[in-house]
Amino acid sequence: GDSVTQMEGPVTLSEEAFLTINCTYTATGYPSLFWYVQYPGEGLQLLLKATKADDKGSNKGFEATYRKETTSFHLEKGSVQVSDSAVYFCALTSAPRAGYSTLTFGKGTMLLVSP
Amino acid sequence: DTGVSQDPRHKITKRGQNVTFRCDPISEHNRLYWYRQTLGQGPEFLTYFQNEAQLEKSRLLSDRFSAERPKGSFSTLEIQRTEQGDSAMYLCASSVTGELFFGEGSRLTVL
């Protein structure tokens, strides 16, 4: 079945440092890939997505490229801020069934950014 | 705020009791999902509704769990005879197509 593996956290960085959170996946067919973010006390929010190989998703300075050859979708940001402190989830959805898809999530990676 | 609303936000109950959670999706979203998230894990799919029809149930959804969406708007998730292993955050999400919008979740603690 489908699965997502993320690097374990917490990831602790100083403000303005470079961020990478690794994500690899196993899926049938051609999945769509997502990064969700959960800020303290809030619900999950979609951060970015990519729907086919070599697509790059980007939002709020974060980027991730869909790499089919390495089955990866690593999240990067060039300069993190304290406000980026949150839990980040990598997720995928396989080929839709009857027009809908369910998400398979990784375990999440906590990011802590200090001033 | 017209986001996904869940109630209650936190429920503490004793083992063996029944609990019910409610989810109000974003209006006009015809798709509604329930997920469960335990500590240190990512959300796991439980069940999916399109309008009032329950189209998919995960094997995680044991016989003690039942979900309904009677009029195709709000949904309820009931857990009967709760067990300590049911302690988790129960997340609801809704969508029209594509992106899922999640609520803040209902945390269940079973003593």
Side-chain angles (χ1 to χ4, degrees):
Chain A
D2 297 344
S3 67
V4 175
T5 302
Q6 296 181 229
M7 62 188 290
E8 291 193 18
V11 173
T12 304
L13 295 173
S14 298
E15 204 164 27
E16 299 184 3
F18 184 86
L19 168 71
T20 300
I21 300 178
N22 290 337
C23 171
T24 57
Y25 67 89
T26 302
T28 54
Y30 301 95
S32 294
L33 303 175
F34 306 83
W35 277 100
Y36 279 79
V37 59
Q38 188 170 32
Y39 298 103
E42 299 184 15
L44 284 164
Q45 302 173 24
L46 178 64
L47 180 60
L48 54 83
K49 67 180 181 182
T51 58
K52 61 183 187 294
D54 299 324
D55 268 2
K56 177 185 285 188
S58 62
N59 186 25
K60 299 182 181 180
F62 290 88
E63 294 183 339
T65 301
Y66 188 146
R67 299 289 187 199
K68 188 172 185 294
E69 64 276 12
T70 55
T71 62
S72 65
F73 192 54
H74 304 321
L75 182 68
E76 297 182 335
K77 186 175 186 183
S79 176
V80 294
Q81 305 299 311
V82 173
S83 58
D84 294 326
S85 297
V87 181
Y88 293 81
F89 293 91
C90 185
L92 67 83
T93 182
S94 291
R97 303 175 291 282
Y100 72 93
S101 300
T102 58
L103 290 166
T104 299
F105 286 88
K107 292 184 178 182
T109 303
M110 179 178 289
L111 171 64
L112 299 171
V113 181
S114 57
Chain B
D1 189 323
T2 57
V4 177
S5 177
Q6 293 189 243
D7 182 72
R9 294 290 308 279
H10 194 181
K11 177 72 175 179
I12 301 172
T13 190
K14 293 182 179 179
R15 188 177 55 181
Q17 298 295 304
N18 299 344
V19 296
T20 299
F21 299 113
R22 176 181 170 122
C23 171
D24 287 272
I26 295 171
S27 66
E28 299 177 358
H29 278 197
N30 62 337
R31 298 174 181 179
L32 188 146
Y33 306 76
W34 284 99
Y35 283 78
R36 181 175 70 183
Q37 185 177 14
T38 54
L39 197 62
Q41 302 295 317
E44 297 172 293
F45 171 74
L46 291 179
T47 190
Y48 162 75
F49 290 86
Q50 184 159 322
N51 299 311
E52 66 275 9
Q54 187 173 21
L55 297 186
E56 186 169 350
K57 293 195 294 186
S58 161
R59 64 179 184 277
L60 293 175
L61 214 65
S62 75
D63 291 344
R64 297 185 296 105
F65 288 70
S66 62
E68 295 182 342
R69 195 183 183 197
K71 298 182 179 179
S73 56
F74 74 90
S75 175
T76 57
L77 176 68
E78 181 183 17
I79 308 173
Q80 297 181 326
R81 305 181 302 283
T82 53
E83 302 173 356
Q84 288 185 325
D86 297 332
S87 296
M89 180 77 85
Y90 291 86
L91 301 172
C92 178
S94 69
S95 73
V96 177
T97 58
E99 180 179 353
L100 270 62
F101 293 82
F102 282 85
E104 294 178 357
S106 292
R107 181 173 295 283
L108 173 64
T109 301
V110 181
L111 302 177

